[in-house]
Amino acid sequence: MFIDGANLYAAARSLGFDIDYKRLRDGFASEGRLVRAFYYTALVEDQEYSPIRPLVDWLDYNGYTMVTKPTKEFTDASGRRKIKGNMDIELAIDVMEMAERVDHILLFSGDGDFRRLVEAVQRKGVRVSVISTVRSQPPMVADELRRQADNFIELQDLAPSIARVHHHREPMGNPGTPGAPDMSSQGGPYANF
């Protein structure tokens, strides 16, 4: 699994849900041999508190290989302060290195820049599934990436299996809110991979 963190976060938010990364990893691991789950994100270093830091720490302790780098700050042509944190090169290098050791890659991104990467690993005999969404406005997956992939998995179709379940406290004596059903054992959305 290769997760473009910012891209997956934006896609899930556009569909109105948060991802439960434990359910995500466990769901795909139950359907095959998961060699590694990579998560890529840039971090703002000079902030006293980064809102993404708790997620990064949790992922690091719970079966994900974290690939991070500090963001870069610059001033654009109109004098506005901008922050840049692109992780495409790191993801591409790791995919190429792992391509010799796997038969299927799951790419959680809709970034069209990855089309040539997908094509390159396919030439090595590796199948590639792209997980993103066409159901948001605008669609979060580039058409050229979707066409290049061996399989496209609609993120919204995975939502029942990977969305974070928000439990509400019930008054004493009432049963709690049931969790989402485990669709992986029923040939659910993970069966496509």
Side-chain angles (χ1 to χ4, degrees), residues 1-3 25 34-39 63-66:
M1 293 173 61
F2 294 87
I3 300 172
R25 188 199 63 234
L34 182 61
V35 175
R36 191 90 56 241
F38 289 94
Y39 186 95
Y64 285 84
T65 300
M66 298 306 301

Side-chain angles (χ1 to χ4, degrees), residues 104-107 118 121-122 126-130 148-151:
H104 193 170
I105 286 174
L106 303 169
L107 176 61
V118 170
V121 296
Q122 286 171 329
V126 177
R127 286 184 18 220
V128 180
S129 292
V130 168
Q148 186 66 51
D150 295 297
N151 188 30

Side-chain angles (χ1 to χ4, degrees), residues 174-185:
N174 290 345
T177 306
D182 178 12
M183 296 175 64
S184 62
S185 63

